[in-house]
Amino acid sequence: MLDVSTASFIPRKVTGPQEAAAVLAAEGAAIMTGLPDEETAVAMGRAIMGDRAVRCGTQFEATKESGRVEAMKMRAQPADRRGRKRDAGPAEERMVAHNDGFAFGDYAPDHLFLWCERPAASGGDSFLIDTTRLLDLLAADPGSTALAHFCRTVDIDHSEPNYPQGGFSPIVRRTPSGRFQGRHHPYLAPVEGPLESEHWTYVRAWQDAVVAARDSGPMFRVGPGEMICIDNYRVLHGRDGHSDPLRKVCSIWGWSQDAVAVPDGPLDIVVPRIPMAS
């Protein structure tokens, strides 16, 4: 079996916005320290994006209780015609590796800042997966070159159940600004049609590769006042399971001028309708 553990990585700690921006561009993620409150963390996210910043703000606070409420609302939503059903999962389970905002397609933020107010007493460690590295590993192995080719060239459905995005695109692509984008979340599916069954083989193989990278690579712990700064187009993220009701992390979404599309206002994760173009 192909070893994809090196696609997962521990980001470097940085001390200022310029260093963070440089490391983010080169390596896909960095950890900023010394951020005492949410307001300071949001301001730092905007400073890291610099002159190209368009929007930056807290999207949601990740706590065990907020996750429970969100999961309950999702469970009440019906399955779609393909049998897919939204499920946020309990805090005690290891997260599926994902890009934040995946439900919103092109309107997903290109920058993600995860500011930790209080880590879990135990568990809840973070992981990151560099999709550029994962794709390179797949492309270099004779047993998975077809999968790498599929990820680059075949359009699939990136929408969540019952919330279509209105179009299809490959798992991996170059955005109009030239940014690399590699995507993963629990609801990826082939486009419906005569090749659907064949394409499921590749979609599931990509999902298996991401799970293998997550479970074989390193995890790391983020402390109070630290913030993981992530290229949300390139790097998947998540956390290990935990049961601490006091753990609190703020998910701050940022859009720069390099983003494919920028929403005019807040996005609703529970009811993820695609915004109207401005």
Side-chain angles (χ1 to χ4, degrees):
M1 183 175 180
L2 177 63
D3 180 7
V4 293
S5 60
T6 57
S8 292
F9 67 104
I10 299 175
R12 286 198 280 153
K13 291 189 176 183
V14 296
T15 58
Q18 292 180 335
E19 183 185 10
V23 173
L24 195 58
E27 302 173 16
I31 295 178
M32 176 66 69
T33 62
L35 304 174
D37 53 49
E38 182 180 334
E39 182 179 357
T40 304
V42 172
M44 180 57 69
R46 180 171 285 275
I48 290 170
M49 289 191 289
D51 294 341
R52 300 190 66 77
V54 178
R55 288 191 60 197
C56 187
T58 300
Q59 176 68 29
F60 61 89
E61 294 180 350
T63 64
K64 185 177 180 182
E65 177 59 19
S66 65
R68 185 192 68 80
V69 172
E70 180 182 305
M72 180 178 63
K73 291 178 179 178
M74 288 183 180
R75 280 196 295 271
Q77 296 171 348
D80 68 6
R81 65 184 185 186
R82 305 172 81 176
R84 300 182 307 160
K85 184 168 172 56
R86 301 178 79 208
D87 182 5
E92 291 79 7
E93 292 182 357
R94 183 172 293 180
M95 272 187 170
V96 175
H98 62 284
N99 322 85
D100 259 21
F102 58 81
F104 303 102
D106 288 348
Y107 287 91
D110 61 324
H111 289 75
L112 172 64
F113 306 99
L114 299 174
W115 175 70
C116 178
E117 179 177 307
R118 185 186 186 281
S122 63
D125 291 1
S126 297
F127 61 82
L128 299 175
I129 300 171
D130 184 348
T131 58
T132 63
R133 174 61 177 161
L134 181 55
L135 192 72
D136 286 346
L137 290 168
L138 295 173
D141 185 87
S144 54
T145 53
L147 171 58
H149 180 73
F150 176 91
C151 290
R152 290 192 182 104
T153 61
V154 178
D155 287 348
I156 70 161
D157 184 355
H158 293 267
S159 64
E160 286 202 61
N162 294 312
Y163 295 98
Q165 294 177 3
F168 309 114
S169 57
I171 291 169
V172 171
R173 65 177 181 177
R174 287 284 174 182
T175 68
S177 67
R179 293 268 295 277
F180 177 95
Q181 188 174 29
R183 292 171 285 182
H184 182 268
H185 64 78
Y187 309 109
L188 296 179
V191 176
E192 292 182 272
L195 297 177
E196 183 176 357
S197 178
E198 176 186 342
H199 288 177
W200 263 123
T201 301
Y202 292 104
V203 171
R204 289 181 176 128
W206 172 247
Q207 292 171 327
D208 289 344
V210 169
V211 170
R214 180 195 69 177
D215 292 348
S216 62
M219 292 195 177
F220 58 96
R221 192 163 181 80
V222 179
E226 295 186 334
M227 182 167 75
I228 313 173
C229 311
I230 301 171
D231 178 343
N232 191 51
Y233 283 177
R234 169 180 170 181
V235 174
L236 311 174
H237 72 281
R239 52 122 186 97
D240 205 0
H242 74 91
S243 58
D244 188 345
L246 299 180
R247 178 187 184 269
K248 181 179 176 181
V249 172
C250 291
S251 182
I252 300 166
W253 290 8
W255 289 263
S256 76
Q257 294 174 18
D258 294 330
V260 178
V262 181
D264 290 332
L267 299 172
D268 186 343
I269 294 175
V270 176
V271 185
R273 295 190 176 94
I274 302 298
M276 296 296 290
S278 58

